[in-house]
Amino acid sequence: MTMDFTRASRRFTVLPLVLMLGACAFAPDSKPPEVTPPAQYGVQAVPPAGAAAQGVAQRFERGAHPVPQWWKRYGSAALDALVEEGLANSPDLAAAERNLAGAREQLRGQVNSSLLPSVDAGASATRNRAVTMPELPEPTALYNVFTGQIQATYDLDLFGAARFANTSLAAQVEQQAYQLEAARRSLAANIVTGAITSASLAERVALTEKQVVLLRQVARDTQRRYELGSASQNDALDADQDAATLEASLPGLRAQWHATRHALAVLLGRSPDQAPPDLAFDALAVPDAVPVMVPSELLAARPDIQVAEAVVQAAAADVGLATAQLFPSLSLSASMGKGGFAWGDALSGAGAIWAIGASLTQPIFHGGALLAERNAARDRYEAAVLQYKQTVLTAFRDVADTLSRLEAGGQALASAEASRLAAEQSYRNTAKRVRLGALAPYTEYAAEQHYVGARLRELEYANNRMTETAALFQAMGSPASAPQKP
């Protein structure tokens, strides 16, 4: 008898372990497959430094880590203040934070409810009318029933259904955490880009207005020369056309500038009419060094890749949940309390009531719905794995494209700077010759107009280098630790 009991106890001791191991095999690997990182991001290797332009040859620090508050490298306290204001006051960020907090509370509630029994207290008082036998003196009976009891139920997670459900929800909450981090970084990058672009547009508007004034002066001088016979009518008409064409571009340029300021105000959590004043573009210093992470380390730094990884984890858990639902489920229940047909009877010792039980359910036939759900979960898992691979490849391409644009932009800026220096020297030489009487006055206006045009082109390329630098900082991801897991 003792030997039989010992054997039985051993069987019951091993059973939970067997069930647990079986549950672990229900789900595929939640770790995403490894994606072979490229030896270098693009078709060409990253150079040690970019072209020297405006006194800066940006260094590409290969193997460096991302910079947490990279916007401070622009050397503008006003820009730093704008980023901090946006991060503190953005309604989108605040809403995302509240949604994340709510998701964490929901996860906490689901985990607790699956691990602990549920206990409820209830009481009822009813008056009933029942039909009795016709032969009895009273064909109906009136009576009261008073009950009060505590009920407890507990579902045993034999095959890991609850655990898989908790894992899936936890991975979904983790997705929201990484999405919040991505939104925070994207907001900072958009504020930096918007502030730089707005400052550049303000300069472009001012230079274009000056250019229009110079072209109008050239047109008036050409008209006088035509009247004096030293210029043709076509020369006068061409001068008028050049001035009018450039002037026609001013309204659209101003509208673009205003729209950029409005967008920046909204990013800061302000209304468009409360847009901040433009920064001084010349006061912004392009960062002289930018980090370029090793491709293999990029996977752990970019929030979008971390989101894709969490999606794979949730999909794997969903497969385990759908598989566990094909197996039996066991639920235990117990209740105790008082009851009777009168208050006195219910409160007396004779009114004690209790119940204890267990229910076992094994799905047998559901029209193929459970198997279809399991197959669908596996398909979603495979899709999540493929999407993860695509996200990684897209991240590599994002960095490669940004590096290429930044390097090409530096070369273009160097050429534009050389062009502006040549145009400036030509303008100064022409101005001296005009003052000496060797050239007509209109030639000075024309030379200055060409010089202003060269400044506009240099300004455009300088803006591109600054914004592409911000894009590279953004593409490198975040050095911060992973978002706090619930």
Side-chain angles (χ1 to χ4, degrees), residues 253-470:
L253 187 60
R254 291 194 187 100
Q256 182 183 357
W257 172 37
H258 293 161
T260 304
R261 294 190 64 194
H262 296 162
L264 179 59
V266 173
L267 290 174
L268 299 177
R270 305 184 187 183
S271 60
D273 62 317
Q274 299 296 321
D278 286 307
L279 305 177
F281 188 81
D282 293 338
L284 296 171
V286 64
D288 58 355
V290 289
V292 180
M293 296 186 66
V294 177
S296 59
E297 298 179 358
L298 188 71
L299 306 184
R302 285 189 51 127
D304 56 341
I305 297 178
Q306 294 165 336
V307 168
E309 182 176 353
V311 171
V312 173
Q313 294 170 355
D318 288 339
V319 174
L321 173 59
T323 305
Q325 289 175 343
L326 297 171
F327 290 84
S329 60
L330 177 61
S331 178
L332 304 179
S333 62
S335 65
M336 61 179 298
K338 298 282 189 176
F341 295 106
W343 277 114
D345 297 334
L347 298 177
S348 67
I353 56 176
W354 61 269
I356 185 170
S359 63
L360 181 67
T361 304
Q362 167 62 56
I364 296 178
F365 178 75
H366 288 258
L370 297 180
L371 288 175
E373 178 57 32
R374 181 176 181 273
N375 293 336
R378 293 193 65 87
D379 289 337
R380 289 193 294 268
Y381 169 76
E382 296 295 337
V385 169
L386 294 173
Q387 189 60 48
Y388 172 81
K389 294 180 180 179
Q390 184 62 46
T391 302
V392 172
L393 295 176
T394 302
F396 290 151
R397 188 198 67 185
D398 182 23
V399 175
D401 291 347
T402 306
L403 284 169
S404 180
R405 289 194 302 267
L406 187 56
E407 184 182 359
Q411 296 172 357
L413 178 58
S415 299
E417 181 185 22
S419 175
R420 188 263 302 167
L421 290 173
E424 182 178 11
Q425 187 60 44
S426 176
Y427 161 60
R428 295 183 186 280
N429 293 340
T430 301
K432 290 179 181 178
R433 296 179 68 186
V434 168
R435 285 194 293 271
L436 293 174
L439 292 175
Y442 75 90
T443 58
E444 180 177 358
Y445 298 132
E448 185 177 7
Q449 188 271 331
H450 287 300
Y451 164 57
V452 173
R455 286 181 62 191
L456 276 168
R457 289 188 293 274
E458 183 184 16
L459 175 63
E460 180 180 357
Y461 288 118
N463 173 75
N464 290 343
R465 183 167 73 161
M466 284 195 178
T467 55
E468 289 298 339
T469 300

Side-chain angles (χ1 to χ4, degrees), residues 72-94:
K72 292 188 175 181
R73 293 199 173 186
Y74 286 89
S76 171
L79 179 61
D80 298 344
L82 291 179
V83 175
E84 296 300 327
E85 179 183 348
L87 293 178
N89 298 333
S90 170
D92 283 341
L93 275 187

Side-chain angles (χ1 to χ4, degrees), residues 14-143:
V14 175
L15 180 59
L17 180 60
V18 174
L19 293 176
M20 183 180 299
L21 293 176
C24 293
F26 286 2
D29 189 1
S30 61
K31 185 179 181 180
E34 293 186 2
V35 178
T36 303
Q40 59 189 32
Y41 284 107
V43 293
Q44 294 182 343
V46 180
Q54 295 183 336
V56 176
Q58 283 187 314
R59 301 189 311 276
F60 299 112
E61 298 180 330
R62 182 174 174 82
H65 296 291
V67 181
Q69 296 179 323
W70 51 266
W71 51 86
K72 292 188 175 181
R73 293 199 173 186
Y74 286 89
S76 171
L79 179 61
D80 298 344
L82 291 179
V83 175
E84 296 300 327
E85 179 183 348
L87 293 178
N89 298 333
S90 170
D92 283 341
L93 275 187
E97 289 172 354
R98 299 317 305 164
N99 286 333
L100 177 59
R104 283 174 171 162
E105 289 298 325
Q106 182 180 1
L107 173 61
R108 185 176 294 109
Q110 177 172 308
V111 170
N112 291 340
S113 65
S114 64
L115 297 178
L116 301 174
S118 60
V119 181
D120 299 295
S124 66
T126 62
R127 182 167 178 80
N128 303 274
R129 180 180 184 273
V131 178
T132 62
M133 297 298 293
E135 293 80 4
L136 295 178
E138 295 292 337
T140 59
L142 297 176
Y143 61 94

